[in-house]
Amino acid sequence: MSTYVYGITTSSHPSLPDGMEGVGEPARQVRIIKEGDLAAVVSDAPEGLRPKRRDLLAHQNVLAETGAAASVLPMRFGSVSPDDAAVAGVLAERADHFKERLEALAGKVEYNVKATHDEEAVLHRVMSENPEVRALTEANRKAGGGSYDDKLRLGEVVVAAVKHREVEDAAELQRALEPVAAAASVGPESTGWLANVSFLVERASAEDFIAAVEEVRKGQPHLEVRLHGPLPPYSFVEPGPSEPAETHH
């Protein structure tokens, strides 16, 4: 039977949740695979697992329980290995990497920040900031609305200006929040968001990070900013380009 992996921690972890309930219907018992200094928190993998609310919560609950007492590397929902031996093999093979990550992520949580434009507010801002948009708008107004081509040209210029603002605003958002975070990881581009960035934040200074997000909201009223967290640091299990892992020789 294949093995479902919740997370990786040290084998000396003070309260490994052996015997608690994990994913599946009926819920599979959580158990521990130890290999050297490391341990994987696992259960049997249910057949045809889907991200249903009950199972997502069970996955989060096992991680919350494990992470309450010591650092844990969270695996994303649905991480399955062929069997226990394969899990032990990965622990042995990537021991240095996992130990470095456990140290780097100790006492830290993840916050995800997504931003989008308030359409009306950004158009207003583009009109007031962009001389070309202003000039074309004024010329069209004087010409009683302007010709079809004039309107088309204005539309193209506005779209380009808004796109430019999206890039600028995404960079500005990251610049504002990176100083209060230990690391940042840019998420996959998805339609509708101009920024989708996860930040690694010291649990102890999470309030400073949340305050910095509020500052961005106040200072950039044309942005709609969503903050999600604290989460297990899923985006930082593998080091990002801005955050090299220690190399072991």
Side-chain angles (χ1 to χ4, degrees):
M1 175 173 286
S2 49
T3 303
Y4 186 96
V5 186
Y6 299 87
I8 293 164
T9 185
T10 58
S11 52
S12 59
H13 188 296
S15 62
L16 285 169
D18 207 349
M20 76 177 292
E21 293 194 333
V23 297
E25 194 76 73
R28 306 301 192 266
Q29 291 288 298
V30 170
R31 51 198 167 75
I32 311 302
I33 298 171
K34 291 189 179 182
E35 176 64 44
D37 297 336
L38 295 169
V41 181
V42 306
S43 68
D44 289 346
E47 287 295 314
L49 187 66
R50 295 275 174 276
K52 293 199 294 277
R53 183 176 159 75
R54 192 218 155 274
D55 288 321
L56 289 167
L57 287 174
H59 181 91
Q60 285 171 10
N61 188 37
V62 171
L63 284 172
E65 196 83 4
T66 315
S71 189
V72 61
L73 293 185
M75 295 294 121
R76 291 191 186 274
F77 179 83
S79 302
V80 174
S81 201
D83 54 29
D84 286 12
V87 175
V90 172
L91 291 181
E93 197 179 307
R94 304 193 68 203
D96 286 347
H97 165 78
F98 290 140
K99 284 177 201 168
E100 181 276 327
R101 289 285 85 198
L102 280 165
E103 219 165 282
L105 301 183
K108 298 184 181 77
V109 289
E110 178 172 325
Y111 282 90
N112 176 256
V113 179
K114 288 188 174 80
T116 185
H117 274 153
D118 175 312
E119 221 164 294
E120 210 171 304
V122 79
L123 284 175
H124 186 72
R125 184 160 180 168
V126 160
M127 298 293 259
S128 64
E129 280 179 352
N130 189 302
E132 193 183 356
V133 170
R134 275 210 309 277
L136 283 168
T137 307
E138 189 57 25
N140 284 6
R141 194 175 61 77
K142 283 183 177 159
S147 67
Y148 174 75
D149 282 350
D150 292 339
K151 287 176 182 166
L152 201 62
R153 172 79 190 124
L154 176 60
E156 284 169 356
V157 171
V158 168
V159 167
V162 169
K163 277 262 174 270
H164 181 68
R165 263 255 68 95
E166 284 186 355
V167 174
E168 294 280 299
D169 287 335
E172 213 167 299
L173 178 86
Q174 210 164 326
R175 270 200 304 276
L177 298 179
E178 275 182 338
V180 281
S185 171
V186 178
E189 279 186 32
S190 61
T191 47
W193 304 110
L194 62 88
N196 173 17
V197 189
S198 290
F199 293 91
L200 187 64
V201 175
E202 290 280 354
R203 202 186 286 269
S205 61
E207 278 177 23
D208 297 344
F209 183 80
I210 293 164
V213 172
E214 270 313 308
E215 282 302 305
V216 171
R217 280 194 182 120
K218 278 191 204 131
Q220 309 281 359
H222 66 294
L223 281 185
E224 288 175 2
V225 181
R226 278 196 200 171
L227 177 65
H228 189 40
L231 306 162
Y234 292 112
S235 305
F236 301 92
V237 172
E238 298 297 330
S242 63
E243 188 202 12
E246 289 167 19
T247 45
H248 297 267
H249 298 292

